[in-house]
Amino acid sequence: MDPVISEQAVREAAARIKPLAKRTPLLTSRSVDRRAGMRVFLKCENFQRGGAFKIRGASNLILSLPPEDLPRGVVAFSSGNHAQAVAIAAKHVGAPATIVMPADAPQSKMQPTRELGARIVTYDRFHEDREAIALRITGETGGTVVPPYDHPMIASGQGTAALEILEDRPELDALVVCVGGGGLLSGSATIAKAIRSGIRVFGVEPELASDVFQSFAKGERVTIPPSDTIADGLRTPSPGKFTFPVIQKLVESILLVTEAEIRETMRFLMERMKIVIEPSGAVAVAAVLFGKLPPGIASAGVIISGGNVDLDFLKTL
Amino acid sequence: MDPVISEQAVREAAARIKPLAKRTPLLTSRSVDRRAGMRVFLKCENFQRGGAFKIRGASNLILSLPPEDLPRGVVAFSSGNHAQAVAIAAKHVGAPATIVMPADAPQSKMQPTRELGARIVTYDRFHEDREAIALRITGETGGTVVPPYDHPMIASGQGTAALEILEDRPELDALVVCVGGGGLLSGSATIAKAIRSGIRVFGVEPELASDVFQSFAKGERVTIPPSDTIADGLRTPSPGKFTFPVIQKLVESILLVTEAEIRETMRFLMERMKIVIEPSGAVAVAAVLFGKLPPGIASAGVIISGGNVDLDFLKTL
């Protein structure tokens, strides 16, 4: 039987991933609270191992693989953070890793993956299908695909970020999470609602990559053309087959933020909170800073999904 | 009787400053450990209220003032972080604050102080004596001077940063702390040695402002000409009358770092740890990253003193 995403699965993931994932701090800032008009607790997954939450899901799946499968290796397709996470977890268990990455992924994401000993195969994200490339490789090697979001073990692993938030702050009114393919959002919503049924859960995505917003409105999975949002981690063309029903059931609404709001949030957090976040990591925070949440929320846990950004990009802020 | 700096004074400060100072996280990074060749625990005072450790000392003194003194206000002279700290603590107790700041202090330090409602008086740090200006003001107003470092209440307050480090990691071999006037170093050395007598304590300062290094070597306080080190918080011309004897007694040695090492450390921590630190905040970390510590140290607590830096400066890294 395939595993499902459930409170139990997230709690099991929390125990399993301990050797690889850090418990990241929940930071606060009066400047942020003032601007948001509520108490904001920022879960700093930019300080996570590999610089993003992705190690939670990747290590949950990879640490569950039968030992006899490890020599054939693991294969992942990713715009970057998931790649690095898979490379870290694969190295930990001694499995060779092959990563299929877009040729235009930021160097800040490609370089550390290479340094971890992973083999990188690049592709053109406007004309090639990364999933097909990954399947061709596993066809040759017999390795295991570690999908970036659409797998119960991945989503359950990502949900441990929300579990830690609720452990630290069980009284929160809301949880605000960025959404690309929906692994982090579906896992987080599942555990948050299990612990605190009244918590309001929001997904946030860039206006320029609003596939989940459109899918949510239409009641079925919508596919959008490749997007050029600066939030490179959220360019997925559609929500996952597995993650979308969970989002439909547990998430109150999908909020949208502009590219300018993402940039301004990155700048504001650097200046006021002294933290470096990547564009995708700014998306959920931007929703809070720019008043996208409905009224009646006094406190929110907000996940900063990652911090892997080329320093040259920061200059453009 | 004047208070002295002691284990007891630091512990009292820890209780007193709770309404104003945060308990900051102690972050770790495999990249930093690898480069330093030891386990490094970074105390992130860049996340502290006001963006630096200074709120610890300023609030310890200001929260101890007799209520009848508050209407006459407080006066501080500071290159920046202490200014903001005094403004925050003064606002908290309802005392008017006047801050004497160098005219060339970074905007990132001047602006927040102004926003907190403090009156700012600027001076030319190459030709005017800030202490004399502060004394003239208190002569007129009857206010209380809150010195930046050379006062037992200030040094005891700053020592709470080291107290928190040792509470989190009681097994550390060494403590590495930047030194300007010596408030943070004397307070930290006092509490660290009281808790763990075998801990090795190091001060670090920029080569371009080596007054404490020279004083330590000579066995008496040396005054140097005004310095232009990028570590603007450490430009003090001499160690304090009060702080220096404590440093002489408890600190093993004063280490020096170059301007290039400070810059490289700022860049490395932005890139690998996703944190923004100011040049002064990088000084202690630079000593660890560039191998300035003697051999035989397997783990060190290192204080990142602050994160208030103009974003334009970061572009030059």
Side-chain angles (χ1 to χ4, degrees), chain B residues 227-289:
Chain B
S227 165
D228 255 344
T229 170
I230 55 168
D232 56 281
L234 306 177
R235 286 174 183 160
T236 33
S238 63
K241 287 184 288 290
F242 164 75
T243 59
F244 183 59
V246 178
I247 292 169
Q248 273 188 302
K249 189 175 158 203
L250 301 180
V251 171
E252 179 169 329
S253 63
I254 305 295
L255 314 169
L256 297 177
V257 295
T258 67
E259 302 290 293
E261 287 164 347
I262 296 170
R263 284 175 177 276
E264 169 59 18
T265 298
M266 291 177 72
R267 197 191 150 85
F268 189 76
L269 265 61
M270 274 186 77
E271 201 154 7
R272 298 301 179 113
M273 295 197 66
K274 325 300 179 191
I275 61 177
V276 175
I277 65 180
E278 59 181 277
S280 305
V283 164
V285 190
V288 170
L289 289 184

Side-chain angles (χ1 to χ4, degrees), chain B residues 207-243:
Chain B
E207 272 186 16
L208 291 190
S210 63
D211 52 299
V212 184
F213 175 85
Q214 293 178 41
S215 303
F216 203 79
K218 202 173 174 188
E220 63 180 50
R221 292 165 63 221
V222 169
T223 299
I224 60 167
S227 165
D228 255 344
T229 170
I230 55 168
D232 56 281
L234 306 177
R235 286 174 183 160
T236 33
S238 63
K241 287 184 288 290
F242 164 75
T243 59

Side-chain angles (χ1 to χ4, degrees), chain B:
Chain B
M1 197 180 81
D2 253 12
V4 292
I5 168 165
S6 62
E7 176 182 5
Q8 180 63 15
V10 177
R11 291 195 186 275
E12 283 169 12
R16 188 177 293 119
I17 70 177
K18 271 208 176 120
L20 278 165
K22 289 183 191 176
R23 186 179 186 105
T24 52
L26 204 54
L27 295 186
T28 58
S29 150
R30 279 161 198 260
S31 310
V32 169
D33 287 1
R34 227 173 355 243
R35 190 148 164 183
M38 65 179 77
R39 292 217 66 191
V40 178
F41 298 89
L42 295 169
K43 180 68 171 170
C44 286
E45 290 294 296
N46 52 330
F47 301 155
Q48 187 50 270
R49 191 136 175 232
F53 71 94
K54 292 285 189 177
I55 189 70
R56 297 176 180 272
S59 60
N60 191 38
L61 193 153
I62 291 173
L63 292 172
S64 308
L65 292 176
E68 61 270 25
D69 288 0
L70 300 180
R72 288 193 294 276
V74 294
V75 180
F77 40 95
S78 162
S79 64
N81 286 335
H82 178 61
Q84 206 176 325
V86 169
I88 290 169
K91 192 178 176 189
H92 182 82
V93 299
T98 305
I99 313 289
V100 183
M101 287 182 97
D104 61 345
Q107 272 304 317
S108 58
K109 297 188 175 175
M110 220 180 261
Q111 188 52 30
T113 309
R114 204 174 276 127
E115 282 173 16
L116 285 158
R119 180 166 75 103
I120 296 181
V121 176
T122 59
Y123 75 102
D124 173 351
R125 71 186 174 87
F126 293 94
H127 301 105
E128 293 184 90
D129 176 6
R130 63 185 190 173
E131 214 158 334
I133 298 170
L135 286 173
R136 200 189 63 225
I137 294 168
T138 53
E140 290 162 8
T141 61
T144 306
V145 171
V146 184
Y149 52 86
D150 211 12
H151 188 294
M153 293 295 282
I154 297 292
S156 302
Q158 318 301 29
T160 59
L163 172 59
E164 290 173 9
I165 295 175
L166 272 291
E167 281 172 352
D168 289 355
R169 291 282 162 181
E171 77 287 3
L172 290 177
D173 290 344
L175 187 65
V176 186
V177 183
C178 63
V179 54
L184 180 63
L185 179 56
S186 62
S188 295
T190 299
I191 188 71
K193 287 284 191 182
I195 292 175
R196 180 170 170 80
S197 60
I199 198 167
R200 300 168 71 175
V201 181
F202 300 90
V204 190
E205 67 183 352
E207 272 186 16
L208 291 190
S210 63
D211 52 299
V212 184
F213 175 85
Q214 293 178 41
S215 303
F216 203 79
K218 202 173 174 188
E220 63 180 50
R221 292 165 63 221
V222 169
T223 299
I224 60 167
S227 165
D228 255 344
T229 170
I230 55 168
D232 56 281
L234 306 177
R235 286 174 183 160
T236 33
S238 63
K241 287 184 288 290
F242 164 75
T243 59
F244 183 59
V246 178
I247 292 169
Q248 273 188 302
K249 189 175 158 203
L250 301 180
V251 171
E252 179 169 329
S253 63
I254 305 295
L255 314 169
L256 297 177
V257 295
T258 67
E259 302 290 293
E261 287 164 347
I262 296 170
R263 284 175 177 276
E264 169 59 18
T265 298
M266 291 177 72
R267 197 191 150 85
F268 189 76
L269 265 61
M270 274 186 77
E271 201 154 7
R272 298 301 179 113
M273 295 197 66
K274 325 300 179 191
I275 61 177
V276 175
I277 65 180
E278 59 181 277
S280 305
V283 164
V285 190
V288 170
L289 289 184
F290 289 93
K292 310 283 169 130
L293 270 65
I297 294 169
S299 64
V302 180
I303 300 180
I304 292 176
S305 58
N308 293 322
V309 58
D310 288 342
L311 296 191
D312 281 345
F313 179 84
L314 297 179
K315 290 186 190 172
T316 71
L317 305 173

Side-chain angles (χ1 to χ4, degrees), chain A residues 4 9 20 22 27 40 59 96 118 133 150 179 184 189 254 264 269 292:
Chain A
V4 292
L20 278 165
K22 290 184 191 176
L27 294 187
V40 178
S59 59
I133 298 170
D150 211 13
V179 54
L184 181 63
I254 305 294
E264 170 59 18
L269 264 61
K292 310 281 169 132

Side-chain angles (χ1 to χ4, degrees), chain A:
Chain A
M1 196 180 80
D2 252 13
V4 292
I5 168 167
S6 62
E7 175 182 4
Q8 180 62 15
V10 177
R11 291 194 185 278
E12 282 170 12
R16 187 176 294 120
I17 70 177
K18 272 208 175 121
L20 278 165
K22 290 184 191 176
R23 187 178 185 103
T24 52
L26 204 53
L27 294 187
T28 59
S29 151
R30 280 162 197 260
S31 309
V32 169
D33 288 0
R34 229 175 352 247
R35 189 148 166 184
M38 65 179 76
R39 294 216 66 193
V40 178
F41 298 90
L42 295 170
K43 180 67 170 170
C44 286
E45 291 293 297
N46 52 330
F47 301 155
Q48 186 51 268
R49 188 131 176 237
F53 70 94
K54 292 285 191 178
I55 189 70
R56 297 176 181 273
S59 59
N60 191 40
L61 193 152
I62 290 173
L63 292 172
S64 309
L65 292 176
E68 61 271 24
D69 289 0
L70 299 179
R72 287 192 296 274
V74 295
V75 180
F77 41 95
S78 162
S79 64
N81 286 335
H82 177 62
Q84 205 176 326
V86 168
I88 291 169
K91 192 177 176 189
H92 182 84
V93 298
T98 305
I99 313 289
V100 183
M101 287 181 98
D104 62 344
Q107 272 304 318
S108 59
K109 297 187 175 175
M110 221 181 262
Q111 188 52 30
T113 308
R114 203 174 276 127
E115 282 172 17
L116 285 158
R119 179 167 75 105
I120 295 180
V121 176
T122 59
Y123 74 102
D124 173 351
R125 71 185 174 86
F126 293 94
H127 301 106
E128 293 184 272
D129 176 6
R130 64 185 189 174
E131 215 159 333
I133 298 170
L135 286 174
R136 199 190 61 225
I137 295 167
T138 53
E140 290 160 9
T141 61
T144 307
V145 172
V146 184
Y149 51 86
D150 211 13
H151 189 294
M153 292 295 281
I154 297 292
S156 301
Q158 319 299 28
T160 59
L163 172 60
E164 290 174 8
I165 295 175
L166 271 292
E167 280 171 354
D168 288 354
R169 292 281 162 182
E171 78 288 2
L172 289 177
D173 290 344
L175 187 66
V176 186
V177 184
C178 64
V179 54
L184 181 63
L185 180 56
S186 62
S188 296
T190 299
I191 188 71
K193 287 284 191 182
I195 292 175
R196 181 171 169 79
S197 60
I199 199 167
R200 300 169 71 176
V201 181
F202 300 91
V204 190
E205 67 183 353
E207 272 186 16
L208 290 191
S210 63
D211 53 299
V212 185
F213 175 85
Q214 293 178 41
S215 303
F216 203 79
K218 202 172 175 190
E220 63 181 52
R221 293 166 64 219
V222 168
T223 300
I224 60 167
S227 166
D228 255 344
T229 171
I230 54 168
D232 56 282
L234 307 176
R235 286 176 184 158
T236 32
S238 64
K241 286 184 290 291
F242 165 76
T243 59
F244 183 59
V246 178
I247 293 169
Q248 273 189 304
K249 188 174 158 205
L250 300 179
V251 171
E252 179 170 329
S253 62
I254 305 294
L255 313 170
L256 297 177
V257 296
T258 67
E259 302 290 293
E261 288 164 346
I262 295 169
R263 284 174 176 275
E264 170 59 18
T265 299
M266 291 177 73
R267 197 191 151 86
F268 189 76
L269 264 61
M270 274 187 78
E271 199 154 11
R272 298 301 178 111
M273 295 197 67
K274 325 299 178 192
I275 60 177
V276 175
I277 65 179
E278 60 180 274
S280 305
V283 164
V285 190
V288 169
L289 290 183
F290 288 93
K292 310 281 169 132
L293 270 64
I297 294 169
S299 63
V302 180
I303 300 180
I304 292 176
S305 58
N308 292 324
V309 58
D310 288 343
L311 295 190
D312 281 344
F313 180 85
L314 297 178
K315 290 188 191 173
T316 70
L317 303 173

